[in-house]
Amino acid sequence: MVRISDFQIKDVVSISDGRRLGNITDIDINLDNGKIESIVVGGNGKLLSFFNKEEELVIPWNNIVKIGEDVILVRFKDQKFMGQQQLQEPKN
């Protein structure tokens, strides 16, 4: 059995680019069936990030690839980040 507090101390990492997304700040639970629907990840580890909803990422439970001792690996592709990354690549 795993406690919510155990989830909150793990880093959430995207497997698509290896980026640290943050830590779990909340969990969405379906009260009809008692299953976790998604995790909410607070952005950039800012202390007051709960005031800024744009910093939160909602990741569906089925996008979790692996829960390890220190990290949670997820499938997540941020289009805004990918766009910035593509703009910074040098042209040959």
Side-chain angles (χ1 to χ4, degrees):
M1 187 173 313
V2 179
R3 297 177 181 262
I4 292 174
S5 59
D6 294 335
F7 276 123
Q8 291 177 320
I9 60 173
K10 297 177 189 288
D11 290 331
V12 178
V13 176
S14 169
I15 63 168
S16 65
D17 57 11
R19 213 165 31 109
R20 181 185 176 278
L21 302 175
N23 294 89
I24 294 177
T25 57
D26 209 348
I27 296 175
D28 293 328
I29 299 173
N30 182 327
L31 295 179
D32 293 331
N33 61 21
K35 293 184 179 182
I36 297 174
E37 295 287 323
S38 60
I39 59 173
V40 180
V41 178
N44 300 330
K46 293 181 182 174
L47 181 61
L48 300 176
S49 66
F50 60 92
F51 288 120
N52 189 354
K53 295 293 185 186
E54 290 181 19
E55 297 264 341
E56 290 183 343
L57 303 172
V58 178
I59 300 173
W61 185 256
N62 61 351
N63 282 17
I64 295 176
V65 176
K66 178 81 173 169
I67 299 174
E69 287 189 37
D70 298 324
V71 298
I72 298 172
L73 300 176
V74 298
R75 278 186 217 97
F76 178 79
K77 190 178 278 190
D78 185 359
Q79 295 300 324
K80 185 169 46 174
F81 176 77
M82 296 300 287
Q84 290 174 354
Q85 189 177 35
Q86 290 170 356
L87 290 175
Q88 294 174 357
E89 291 178 5
K91 295 182 181 179
N92 291 339

